[in-house]
Amino acid sequence: MERALSGIKPTGKLTLGNYIGALKNFKDYQENYETFIFIADLHALTLPIDPIELRNNTKDIVAFYLASGLDPEKTTIFLQSDVPAHAELNAIIQNYLYMGELSRMTQFKDKSRKMNDSAIGLGLFAYPVLMTADILLYNADVVPVGEDQTQHVELARDFVHRFNTRYGKELFKMPKAITPKVGARIMSLSEPTRKMSKSDPKGDIFLKDDMIIIRKKIMSAVTDLGSDVIYDPENKPGISNLLTIYAALSDITIKEAEEIFKDCHRYGDFKKAVTDKVIEVLEPFQKKYKEILESGIIDKVLEDGARKASYTANKLLTKVKKTVGLYVHK
Ligand code: AMP
Ligand code: TRP
């Protein structure tokens, strides 16, 4: 059976972009793939974060995973920091990835742009090395992510090619990023030419937002000139983004969504329909999330997940150690 692996880092509040680009798609894999979904908590340390916030965010993401339909019987759900093999493989493979290629990563450039050189943590720079380790430890065939993560998966692919060639064997599987057909890049509601991101409260819909707030945010989303609801990201970024959100949450194509609104010539009516759709999805999702948090099952899920994930990861780690010449004793 092929394997699917992905993760979300517990920084900030999860957004509708995280939901559409990543979270909501994970459950689709658990029927046909051996699926590993984790919380990238070590990655959350790459930028300063309050310890209490990190712990709360971590619990939240587990609850979100379960609320989205991930079943711990089918999917291994675990914390990155619970499986030391991630850090160990990271220590080995960092020697096969180069400063030049890491410094070309868009995410690194974006995040470090506003920072003073002397304050950029090494972990932020080396972020894709750990991500490569995450993916390869589980021999993942597919990595479902939003568009902003595809460059990191490409780097993992370059590494696999480099390492396998160097040691003359197919030790690592070649992973492939899979982005959703609709909604791989959800944009900010207030500035639709910019990605919706956890660190920008304006124009973001957070998964924990109250329904009244969600309604307000969508109804005041930036739109464009004209009155037709058509998909044209260049000239109508605001309307195109809302159309994408509607289509993704309805599991239909953009074309089908356009068809639904072809006789709608008032942006206000269209926004109301988008709002209703978002609420139709998020209201029951929030209810489930709260029930899960109250049920107290999170620790048990993580404990089981850590055991299963470690078993798989350690097998691969041992093979890597032997391959590079580390002495593995009985
Ligand atoms: P992160 O918040 O960086 O841990 O991202 C978790 C997942 O959500 C990754 O697969 C991202 O690609 C995805 N993601 C984040 N923001 C967006 C967005 N605005 N649109 C679509 N996917 C996103
Ligand atoms: N870098 C991803 C993000 O910010 C999170 C992540 C860490 C990840 N390791 C991964 C995603 C491995 C997929 C596979 O969204």
Side-chain angles (χ1 to χ4, degrees):
M1 202 186 233
E2 290 208 323
R3 289 199 178 145
L5 169 131
S6 195
I8 296 181
K9 56 179 186 306
T11 47
K13 296 188 266 185
L14 253 61
T15 69
L16 190 63
N18 293 125
Y19 183 80
I20 291 176
L23 183 56
K24 105 187 227 300
N25 312 308
F26 294 165
K27 65 171 184 316
D28 299 337
Y29 289 87
Q30 64 185 2
E31 307 302 334
N32 302 314
Y33 289 79
E34 197 178 335
T35 308
F36 294 84
I37 302 290
F38 69 103
I39 291 101
D41 54 355
L42 292 174
H43 274 116
L45 296 172
T46 54
L47 285 172
I49 184 164
D50 175 74
I52 295 170
E53 193 191 327
L54 173 55
R55 250 189 302 276
N56 287 337
N57 289 345
T58 300
K59 246 177 122 176
D60 265 358
I61 297 191
V62 185
F64 282 141
Y65 281 165
L66 297 172
S68 74
L70 283 183
D71 174 356
E73 297 288 322
K74 295 179 183 157
T75 296
T76 304
I77 300 172
F78 64 101
L79 296 185
Q80 187 182 32
S81 64
D82 265 343
V83 182
H86 288 248
E88 291 180 56
L89 187 61
N90 179 72
I92 296 173
I93 68 174
Q94 64 184 343
N95 303 300
Y96 305 81
L97 283 152
Y98 306 130
M99 307 276 284
E101 55 195 357
L102 291 173
S103 56
R104 282 195 293 276
M105 293 290 115
T106 309
Q107 179 174 296
F108 173 71
K109 286 198 274 186
D110 284 350
K111 299 212 164 165
S112 59
R113 187 168 295 133
K114 288 161 251 141
M115 296 165 75
N116 192 322
D117 266 5
S118 58
I120 300 173
L122 181 57
L124 185 66
F125 184 67
Y127 184 110
V129 181
L130 181 56
M131 182 159 162
T132 298
D134 298 338
I135 296 170
L136 301 186
L137 271 180
Y138 301 90
N139 267 329
D141 297 278
V142 295
V143 183
V145 281
E147 194 191 78
D148 61 350
Q149 294 302 315
T150 53
Q151 194 186 29
H152 291 157
V153 181
E154 279 304 314
L155 185 75
R157 290 171 61 86
D158 290 345
F159 167 82
V160 167
H161 181 70
R162 189 175 301 157
F163 191 95
N164 286 350
T165 308
R166 165 134 175 209
Y167 293 98
K169 53 175 153 176
E170 299 296 305
L171 181 70
F172 291 119
K173 264 258 181 79
M174 189 59 88
K176 192 167 124 212
I178 303 210
T179 53
K181 284 196 192 73
V182 180
R185 190 177 176 84
I186 298 295
M187 312 305 273
S188 154
L189 296 183
S190 60
E191 225 183 298
T193 46
R194 224 176 26 75
K195 193 186 75 170
M196 187 181 278
S197 80
K198 290 176 192 162
S199 44
D200 153 52
K202 253 182 69 209
D204 274 12
I205 292 184
F206 297 114
L207 296 185
K208 281 165 68 172
D209 272 350
D210 198 90
M211 295 305 139
I212 298 170
I213 305 279
I214 290 182
R215 193 168 285 283
K216 252 194 213 146
K217 284 184 181 172
I218 302 180
M219 291 311 288
S220 54
V222 167
T223 47
D224 322 285
L225 288 178
S227 58
D228 291 333
V229 179
I230 45 176
Y231 186 74
D232 176 0
E234 211 159 289
N235 301 306
K236 285 167 151 306
I239 290 296
S240 303
N241 190 38
L242 292 173
L243 206 50
T244 304
I245 292 173
Y246 185 91
L249 295 180
S250 312
D251 287 319
I252 58 175
T253 63
I254 302 260
K255 273 257 154 304
E256 286 166 331
E258 273 181 330
E259 186 61 25
I260 292 175
F261 295 105
K262 73 174 189 310
D263 295 324
C264 173
H265 300 294
R266 280 215 302 257
Y267 284 162
D269 294 345
F270 170 56
K271 282 178 170 179
K272 189 172 173 307
V274 177
T275 309
D276 290 345
K277 180 53 73 182
V278 173
I279 290 180
E280 180 190 314
V281 173
L282 287 192
E283 203 164 32
F285 178 73
Q286 286 188 359
K287 193 164 162 269
K288 268 197 223 143
Y289 153 83
K290 281 187 195 130
E291 284 165 9
I292 289 159
L293 274 188
E294 281 158 18
S295 74
I297 60 168
I298 294 205
D299 286 300
K300 167 91 173 73
V301 168
L302 291 179
E303 224 175 89
D304 290 350
R307 202 174 341 99
K308 285 194 238 164
S310 297
Y311 178 76
T312 304
N314 288 336
K315 274 204 300 203
L316 194 274
L317 181 66
T318 303
K319 278 194 203 161
V320 178
K321 283 182 166 177
K322 285 184 179 158
T323 300
V324 300
L326 295 175
Y327 186 75
V328 179
H329 52 88
K330 298 244 162 72

